[in-house]
Amino acid sequence: MTTSQVPSAPSRAEELARLPAYRSADPAAKGADGVLDLSNNELALPPLPAVVESLGHSGGRVNLYPDPTARTLLNTVARHYDVDPDEVVVGPGSGAVLQQLLLALCGHGDEVLYPWPGFDAYPFLIATAGARGTPVPLTASGEHDLAAFAAAVTSRTRMVILCSPHNPTGRRITRSDLTDLLAAFPPRVVTVLDQAYVEFDEKQEVEDLDHRSAGPRTVLLRTFSKAYGLAGLRAGYAFAAPDVAGPARKTQLPFSVTYAAEHAAGVSLAQPRQLAERMETVRHARTALYEALRAQGLTPLPSYANFVWLPLGADAERFGAAALAAGVRVRAFPGQGVRISVGGDEAHRRVLSAARRFVTTIP
Ligand SMILES: Cc1ncc(COP(=O)(O)O)c(C=O)c1O
């Protein structure tokens, strides 16, 4: 083959053209068809009254730009968790903070390992940052395959994303497994531990971990979207060593965190008792859903998040269709399983009625 025949690397435009567009869903249309939604891992409880009140206050200021770098949110998070502001990154959601980290740390062609199935946005964010994603399949029991992660590291690996509790299986990485895994990665690898659902985990073994004790190359990624119920406002944060957090702060889109989001996040952090009560409510509903599914003869995995995973393999889409017919939307991962967010009584009743009908049709 002559040099002229060597295929050239795809351009950025070609790479982006190959990427599927991210799913679109209009929240205003939600429920208009009478279908209840358990497909998005949203908090099934209304916003805290103090948050709604804070929105009234913020509403009168939407003609003004927010702080370009959301310094109030950054300082509030730092104070709340007793870390130095230099060790904090904030952004409009933890997905955005992950994007900031990818843009700051990964050059073109650098590799990023991530668990799969996992949060839909991982491959999307990795590709839009110009990096190369390598999915690492979960084990049959829905957990991170630690040996496979260690084996997948190459000389181009720059970042490893882990997720605990994991979306979509709800399984967690234990503290000792995490410690072993971090020790197996070379020092140039930055590990981002996505803790979007950590507050739902009663044991919070990983929550007790701080990014310093985990090692200088570990980032903890958190959000106000899940336990705090602020998905529609967009606020997320991360803890990292100053030499990782600093560059990631530089890639934050100026003015991207609204004043309303900053303010509501601060109000939420100031309500630890309400958060604890809400987590208790969700865990209670999760256990009830898990046990009711088992009573139908299904085999959900024990979950530490605000959703339950049914490893149905080839039957996943059939379950999804049965749920929709019963008036509730769940998230089917074709060929793998179904993720059901913890919801209210009526939504659970519909899921269980679908499950009853589904099990009678299993050949
Ligand atoms: C594992 C995980 N990480 C991060 C996110 C992003 O959340 P947000 O950008 O709303 O903070 C999600 C959202 O579903 C998620 O499931």
Side-chain angles (χ1 to χ4, degrees), residues 22 40-41 92-96 119 122 163 165-167 194-197 221-226 231 234-236 307 339:
Y22 203 73
N40 269 331
N41 297 346
S94 59
F119 176 36
Y122 291 153
C163 182
H166 186 58
N167 174 12
D194 185 341
Q195 299 187 302
Y197 301 94
L221 184 66
R222 305 262 181 90
T223 184
F224 286 96
S225 296
K226 306 296 179 180
R234 317 303 304 131
F307 49 84
R339 189 191 68 198

Side-chain angles (χ1 to χ4, degrees), residues 8-305:
S8 56
S11 69
R12 292 287 294 131
E14 283 164 341
E15 282 183 6
L16 292 173
R18 273 191 220 142
L19 263 185
Y22 203 73
R23 292 179 288 127
S24 140
D26 176 5
K30 233 184 206 187
D33 52 3
V35 175
L36 299 176
D37 194 353
L38 296 184
S39 70
N40 269 331
N41 297 346
E42 291 152 336
L43 186 71
L45 299 166
L48 290 171
V51 165
V52 176
E53 204 180 304
S54 85
L55 291 178
H57 168 71
S58 315
R61 302 175 53 127
V62 294
N63 57 319
L64 305 176
Y65 279 107
D67 174 351
T69 61
R71 199 73 209 177
T72 302
L73 176 61
L74 191 138
N75 287 333
T76 305
V77 167
R79 227 179 5 258
H80 185 82
Y81 288 101
D82 194 20
V83 300
D84 196 284
D86 282 354
E87 297 171 293
V88 181
V89 187
V90 296
S94 59
V97 176
L98 178 58
Q99 184 174 50
Q100 290 164 217
L101 288 157
L102 286 159
L103 290 170
L105 299 174
C106 297
H108 195 77
D110 280 349
E111 288 170 4
V112 180
L113 310 183
Y114 61 96
W116 202 251
F119 176 36
D120 295 318
Y122 291 153
F124 182 79
L125 296 174
I126 293 165
T128 52
R132 195 176 304 246
T134 304
V136 179
L138 300 179
T139 64
S141 53
E143 283 163 355
H144 287 59
D145 186 335
L146 303 180
F149 266 99
V153 172
T154 72
S155 58
R156 292 303 308 262
T157 307
R158 181 75 178 111
M159 185 187 287
V160 175
I161 301 171
L162 306 173
C163 182
S164 181
H166 186 58
N167 174 12
T169 62
R171 306 298 294 154
R172 67 152 93 87
I173 307 174
T174 66
R175 175 74 188 259
S176 68
D177 278 351
L178 182 69
T179 306
D180 291 350
L181 189 57
L182 293 175
F185 293 150
R188 68 169 184 283
V189 171
V190 169
T191 303
V192 176
L193 181 64
D194 185 341
Q195 299 187 302
Y197 301 94
V198 75
E199 295 90 351
F200 297 105
D201 180 355
E202 56 274 39
K203 208 166 163 211
Q204 297 214 358
E205 210 182 280
V206 179
E207 157 86 334
D208 297 338
L209 166 99
D210 70 61
H211 66 281
R212 296 185 207 124
S213 68
R217 305 284 87 185
T218 307
V219 180
L220 304 184
L221 184 66
R222 305 262 181 90
T223 184
F224 286 96
S225 296
K226 306 296 179 180
Y228 290 98
L230 302 187
L233 278 177
R234 317 303 304 131
Y237 57 101
F239 301 121
D243 66 325
V244 172
R249 276 197 301 276
K250 295 246 172 78
T251 59
Q252 182 191 341
L253 183 68
F255 308 104
S256 58
V257 179
T258 64
Y259 175 73
E262 263 198 301
H263 199 52
V267 165
S268 302
L269 281 179
Q271 313 238 343
R273 193 174 50 78
Q274 284 84 344
L275 177 76
E277 281 169 9
R278 291 179 146 223
M279 293 306 95
E280 216 24 66
T281 303
V282 173
R283 285 180 206 127
H284 193 75
R286 177 182 74 200
T287 305
L289 177 63
Y290 169 83
E291 282 171 0
L293 289 167
R294 279 181 65 87
Q296 303 286 343
L298 294 167
T299 52
L301 299 186
S303 167
Y304 301 98

